[in-house]
Amino acid sequence: MSEEFEVRGPHEEALEHAGHHHAPGHGGAPIDPFAGRIAVMTAILATVGAVFSYQGGSTEGLALFYKNEAAIRKTEAANQWSYYQAKGEKQNLAELGAALTQADPKASAKFTGDIAKYAQQKTAIRAQAEALEKAVEKADADSERQLHLHHRWAQATTLTQIAISLAAITLLTRRRWLLGAALGVAGLGAIVGVVAFLGY
């Protein structure tokens, strides 16, 4: 027959002692409901703050994405305008050739055909360059909007962190008016978060 021995550390003894002497119904002092409520409030605020922080990071990433998109489209538009200018120079040379070869109908007809070709190409290039410029404006506007929302989420996160700090101070000092301040700041943070969620 084997005998089993249980080895208990001092921390286990302390936990068991605290559980027997501070739990309600065991003759000790009841668990503090005020501290329990503050702990739950802090956990909720920490969760809400984490969501606000995530949203803030997401909108910041989108703002950078749209700003990068605007820079790319701006470069493409500049390339198209350079291309447009090159076609314009070719058209000018064709017009000069047509003027110089008026005595030779065959050569003049070739230059006249080139003039029409370059004019048509310029129209298509110009349309593409203008479309790219509109895309730049849209991407810039989208970037600014996301940056604005990022600031709103950052404000909501900051207010939530302040509310958590006030809740911790409330728990340490037992000042009930600080609980009201913590709840007020948390409410303000929630309002700013809702405003950010709605896109204002």
Side-chain angles (χ1 to χ4, degrees):
M1 170 192 237
S2 66
E3 293 184 31
E4 294 184 20
F5 295 97
E6 182 179 356
V7 179
R8 297 165 58 86
H11 65 284
E12 291 170 331
E13 293 285 343
L15 288 173
E16 185 176 322
H17 180 72
H20 286 303
H21 292 285
H22 296 292
H26 288 288
I31 294 174
D32 185 2
F34 180 73
R37 276 184 261 149
I38 296 292
V40 170
M41 181 180 120
T42 303
I44 291 169
L45 287 174
T47 304
V48 170
V51 172
F52 289 168
S53 179
Y54 172 80
Q55 289 297 115
S58 175
T59 52
E60 183 180 28
L62 284 172
L64 292 172
F65 169 79
Y66 287 126
K67 189 55 82 176
N68 187 47
E69 189 72 15
I72 291 169
R73 298 293 166 250
K74 189 177 280 189
T75 302
E76 290 176 355
N79 289 341
Q80 285 300 309
W81 284 118
S82 295
Y83 191 40
Y84 176 85
Q85 188 175 6
K87 291 293 181 181
E89 289 171 3
K90 286 185 176 184
Q91 183 181 356
N92 290 341
L93 289 173
E95 288 169 354
L96 178 63
L100 293 175
T101 59
Q102 285 180 351
D104 183 1
K106 185 177 177 185
S108 182
K110 180 197 175 301
F111 284 119
T112 305
D114 286 345
I115 293 168
K117 178 180 78 173
Y118 293 135
Q120 185 179 11
Q121 288 175 348
K122 277 175 51 183
T123 302
I125 294 167
R126 181 186 182 115
Q128 189 172 357
E130 288 173 348
L132 285 166
E133 285 180 342
K134 286 181 183 174
V136 169
E137 290 175 11
K138 183 180 182 315
D140 273 335
D142 288 343
S143 177
E144 289 299 319
R145 175 174 159 65
Q146 291 299 322
L147 195 58
H148 172 73
L149 292 176
H150 167 70
H151 290 144
R152 285 280 184 254
W153 287 118
Q155 290 165 349
T157 302
T158 301
L159 288 167
T160 305
Q161 290 170 342
I162 292 169
I164 290 170
S165 297
L166 287 172
I169 294 168
T170 300
L171 190 57
L172 291 172
T173 63
R174 301 283 180 178
R175 306 268 189 234
R176 295 217 178 250
W177 64 269
L178 274 173
L179 177 60
L183 290 171
V185 173
L188 186 59
I191 290 169
V192 174
V194 168
V195 167
F197 178 77
L198 295 175
Y200 294 110

